[in-house]
Amino acid sequence: RIWLQPGDDVVVEPLEYVASQAVIVGQVGAPKAFPIDRAARSSVSEALFSGGLFTTPGADFKHIYLLRQRDGAAYDAYHFDLSEVLNIGLTDRMELRPGDVIFVRTNPIVQFSTIIDLLIGIDNRLTDVQGRL
């Protein structure tokens, strides 16, 4: 304990702010960095809404993960299911920390459709090559 006496000076040095960020990857277009505002206490929902998640047709709202490094190479993973509106409140209460990674999974239907499109494209190219021979 430190007791202050009349005439004592208390010097409060400013805390140097170090810019920090989280990263949003997966089915959100291109990977994006999200700056974390420590004073405003940035949340997962702020990052998701700023990242264009809800305009990406291939995003799987049932499988959104927050990956947070614990010690060394170990990570804690938090799963969010935003297919129900009530669960959005959970992402609003989850604060972001420097180095967090938000991963949005691709909807399985979109993955299947992409594979079918690739196969049809290959089939069309083979038919075109056979027609030229």
Side-chain angles (χ1 to χ4, degrees), residues 27 53 56-65 79-83 103-111:
Q27 194 62 37
L53 168 70
T56 306
D60 187 354
F61 296 112
K62 289 186 176 189
H63 296 281
I64 297 173
Y65 299 93
H79 173 239
F80 299 100
D81 178 359
L82 299 186
S83 63
F103 174 74
V104 180
R105 190 176 88 166
T106 303
N107 193 324
I109 294 171
V110 172
Q111 286 178 329

Side-chain angles (χ1 to χ4, degrees), residues 35-83:
I36 297 174
D37 184 356
R38 293 181 185 188
R41 297 182 167 229
S42 301
S43 68
V44 172
S45 66
E46 289 176 66
L48 292 174
F49 282 103
S50 74
L53 168 70
F54 300 102
T55 59
T56 306
D60 187 354
F61 296 112
K62 289 186 176 189
H63 296 281
I64 297 173
Y65 299 93
L66 172 67
L67 305 171
R68 180 171 287 163
Q69 192 166 12
R70 190 177 348 140
D71 294 323
Y75 280 84
D76 289 326
Y78 302 90
H79 173 239
F80 299 100
D81 178 359
L82 299 186
S83 63

Side-chain angles (χ1 to χ4, degrees), residues 76-129:
D76 289 326
Y78 302 90
H79 173 239
F80 299 100
D81 178 359
L82 299 186
S83 63
E84 296 195 27
V85 177
L86 296 175
N87 292 338
I88 293 177
L90 296 173
T91 62
D92 200 37
R93 290 191 298 257
M94 185 70 158
E95 281 185 35
L96 286 174
R97 294 183 185 162
D100 281 354
V101 176
I102 299 172
F103 174 74
V104 180
R105 190 176 88 166
T106 303
N107 193 324
I109 294 171
V110 172
Q111 286 178 329
F112 179 73
S113 175
T114 303
I115 291 170
I116 295 298
D117 288 346
L118 287 172
L119 291 175
I120 290 172
I122 290 171
D123 183 50
N124 287 341
R125 288 184 198 138
L126 290 175
T127 305
D128 187 43
V129 169

